[in-house]
Amino acid sequence: MTAPSAVVGTAPGATPADAARDVLRQLAHQPYGQVSNSVYETGRLVADAPWLDGHGHRLTYLLAEQGADGSWGPAGGYALVPTASAVEALLAALVRPHPTGPGPTRTEVVTAATRGVAALSRRLGDGGSRPDTPAADLIVPALATRIDAHLAELHGADGSALSGAPRALPPVDRRRVEAVTALLAGGRPVPSKLWHAYEVLGPAAAGRTEVTLVDGAVGASPAATAAWLGHGRRPEPAARAYLDAVVTRHGGPVPCCTPITVFERSWTLATLSRVALPVRPAPRLVTELAAALGPDGAATGPGLPADADTTSVTLYALARLGHPVDPGSLLHYDLGSHFCTWRGEDGQSVTTNAHVLEALGWHARHTGEGGRRYAARVAALADWLREVQRPEGHWADRWHASPYYATCCAVLALAGYAAPEVARVAIDRAVDWLLATQRDDGGWGRWSTTAEETAYAVHVLAVARRPAASAAIGRALGLLRMEQTEHPPLWHDKDLYSPDLIVRAAVIAARTLALEAVAPMDGGLPAGGGRGPTRA
């Protein structure tokens, strides 16, 4: 098994400009993107593709990631999906042993599986709230069905195989699975975004001819691609090559979504372009980013539908880099009151609408035609963002576990493109919330201090131009470590993940703002006043 290539981080003591140049080099040289491994997705390969190179490494990874309480993943409801996947994978490895090469012993797998079943039973029985992660209402019941079948087989074959483990899981709500299964079996249309979770759709998905490979993958997902191959498809060299390449890059475990080329480049370039760093991306990066835009916008990865979030950030990044493209494609997602991430979306996204506000707002401000076409939507969208602000002063979103990310997106959009009288009160409330939630170590974080969440807080405080905000930034400066290359998973996919280069860009940009904020300013501003992100 080939180990993953090392990611070279920024050397300690480097300037933000040096760090930004390093990020841009990696954008160009690693186009598939840098994204953390996924317990959920890795578990699906253990269960559905034990024949794939690196099976033993994936089992070892699952055992290493198990928590002290027997579960996988972070606190609360976020542990449910990765725990279900890991448990089903370990049970499948016991029911259908496969030569692994280097890897854990059967006894070690039995021990981990027994602890995992107990932890999953507790999670399912606690009745707590579940995070809004994609396809969770399909994943959990589908895996619970498989787990119950494995438990029945293991207990029936040898009652001592899983001594102490329950014989079945607590009941789960299967209505969503049954509805999707009926649609698939009846040949009726289903949202194309479901193919990203093809691995839990069952045999009814096998006959759907609209499921095709794009760049060798189904739904930009290793798990979906492996399951598609396992549904009796003829050998597909492109799919096998995709899986082999992902496994090799990551050393056995795999991420949920790969490649993330457009997503990574658009977010990274948009973030770095907000601050006055003397760096420019290679022309090829800009050209390829523009080429990713189609009539419906841009998609996060190959085989995924275009969405308003990726489209708007791509448009904004291109505009900030001097290559504006008319944002008319975003109108496909206009619901009147706000914009959906994609048509038929359940719920709504604060961060998608903040990004749409920036994309439309730039064109409304900088082009005559944009002003005529988009000014009214910009004003209405700013009002909508202000209305969905939480009473405590922050925002929350369905694409990220941390309210600091959503708050940063909303504040930057309002500060940049809302009328001052609309933005001022909302931003002041957000700043008050940030000042109240700063931790004793100077950072911010939902569960513990992270460089990522601290960076988002600094981006917001840099807008405030208040002495208290500047003092808070000063206390956070030492936590903005640009050399850090891996970050705790906080972004929503089938389980939590980290798009590490995107996060590094946020930290680099925040450190740039923080260094300015703690230096004396000219023009009568208080020391540490900072100029904040540019409004161009």
Side-chain angles (χ1 to χ4, degrees):
M1 186 70 227
T2 304
S5 57
V7 176
V8 179
T10 303
T15 67
D18 293 333
R21 291 187 188 96
D22 174 62
V23 166
L24 294 179
R25 282 193 296 269
Q26 295 190 51
L27 280 182
H29 295 151
Q30 300 184 40
Y32 44 82
Q34 295 177 26
V35 58
S36 61
N37 290 324
S38 161
V39 167
Y40 169 81
E41 202 86 354
T42 300
R44 297 304 81 227
L45 289 197
V46 167
D48 295 340
W51 41 263
L52 192 63
D53 189 25
H55 182 64
H57 291 279
R58 285 186 285 280
L59 282 169
T60 298
Y61 168 79
L62 291 181
L63 266 60
E65 292 295 312
Q66 189 172 26
D69 67 348
S71 66
W72 284 260
Y78 281 106
L80 185 58
V81 165
T83 299
S85 183
V87 166
E88 196 278 331
L90 297 180
L91 294 177
L94 294 173
V95 170
R96 299 184 301 274
H98 193 278
T100 63
T105 66
R106 181 176 177 84
T107 299
E108 290 171 331
V109 174
V110 168
T111 300
T114 303
R115 295 175 59 229
V117 171
L120 181 59
S121 296
R122 291 194 300 271
R123 297 280 181 183
L124 290 172
D126 66 9
S129 61
R130 307 287 187 243
D132 184 21
T133 52
D137 53 356
L138 297 174
I139 289 169
V140 173
L143 293 182
T145 298
R146 298 184 196 181
I147 290 168
D148 283 343
H150 294 326
L151 289 172
E153 184 170 352
L154 287 166
H155 282 297
D158 179 359
S160 64
L162 291 175
S163 177
R167 292 182 173 269
L169 296 174
V172 297
D173 186 347
R174 302 179 188 274
R175 288 174 295 177
R176 173 74 167 166
V177 168
E178 292 167 355
V180 171
T181 299
L183 287 176
L184 291 166
R188 285 174 285 175
V190 297
S192 59
K193 64 184 177 67
L194 284 182
W195 307 139
H196 183 54
Y198 181 94
E199 69 277 3
V200 295
L201 299 183
R208 298 302 291 249
T209 58
E210 69 266 43
V211 185
T212 57
L213 297 179
V214 180
D215 293 348
V218 173
S221 163
T225 305
W228 183 85
L229 280 173
H231 274 167
R233 299 284 181 178
R234 65 183 186 278
E236 285 285 353
R240 181 58 188 266
Y242 165 81
L243 291 172
D244 287 340
V246 175
V247 165
T248 298
R249 283 199 300 267
H250 290 261
V254 295
C256 254
C257 186
T258 184
I260 58 167
T261 310
V262 177
F263 169 49
E264 182 180 78
R265 289 178 175 181
S266 59
W267 258 255
T268 300
L269 294 174
T271 296
L272 293 178
S273 70
R274 293 180 187 277
V275 293
L277 290 169
V279 295
R280 298 289 292 179
R284 177 174 63 84
L285 285 179
V286 179
T287 300
E288 291 176 356
L289 193 59
L293 289 166
D296 294 332
T300 292
L304 296 174
D307 65 81
D309 203 20
T310 307
T311 300
S312 56
V313 179
T314 299
L315 290 164
Y316 184 68
L318 289 170
R320 294 295 302 257
L321 294 169
H323 297 269
V325 176
D326 186 87
S329 59
L330 285 173
L331 300 182
H332 291 290
Y333 308 96
D334 191 353
L335 299 181
S337 60
H338 65 286
F339 286 68
C340 57
T341 307
W342 56 74
R343 284 287 177 178
E345 177 183 24
D346 297 327
Q348 58 195 26
S349 168
V350 165
T351 62
T352 292
N353 283 276
H355 294 144
V356 171
L357 174 57
E358 289 188 309
L360 297 182
W362 190 95
H363 284 268
R365 175 172 297 161
H366 292 279
T367 67
E369 179 62 22
R372 289 186 291 274
R373 291 187 67 188
Y374 306 122
R377 292 305 294 124
V378 167
L381 203 49
D383 287 337
W384 183 87
L385 279 176
R386 186 180 59 175
E387 290 167 3
V388 298
Q389 187 176 17
R390 299 294 178 92
E392 299 84 356
H394 67 277
W395 285 264
D397 191 57
R398 65 184 325 187
W399 297 120
H400 202 284
S402 173
Y404 296 101
Y405 173 72
T407 301
C408 177
C409 292
V411 166
L412 293 184
L414 291 170
Y417 300 101
E421 61 274 13
V422 172
R424 186 176 300 112
V425 173
I427 293 174
D428 284 346
R429 291 176 59 211
V431 169
D432 289 341
W433 174 73
L434 284 172
L435 294 175
T437 59
Q438 188 172 24
R439 293 174 174 269
D440 291 341
D441 62 5
W444 286 265
R446 173 174 177 172
W447 292 302
S448 61
T449 295
T450 67
E452 177 182 358
E453 292 166 283
T454 299
Y456 299 141
V458 167
H459 278 276
V460 173
L461 294 174
V463 173
R465 301 175 183 268
R466 284 163 49 178
S470 300
I473 290 173
R475 292 196 297 275
L477 180 59
L479 299 170
L480 300 172
R481 296 184 294 273
M482 300 183 299
E483 67 274 14
Q484 186 175 346
T485 59
E486 296 181 356
H487 297 269
L490 291 167
W491 296 65
H492 284 191
D493 199 335
K494 288 177 273 188
D495 58 357
L496 294 183
Y497 74 101
S498 172
D500 288 327
L501 214 57
I502 291 174
V503 176
R504 284 187 65 199
V507 173
I508 292 166
R511 186 167 180 86
T512 302
L513 297 172
L515 289 171
E516 294 181 355
V518 299
M521 299 293 293
D522 295 327
L525 289 175
R531 59 170 171 78
T534 58
R535 289 171 55 91

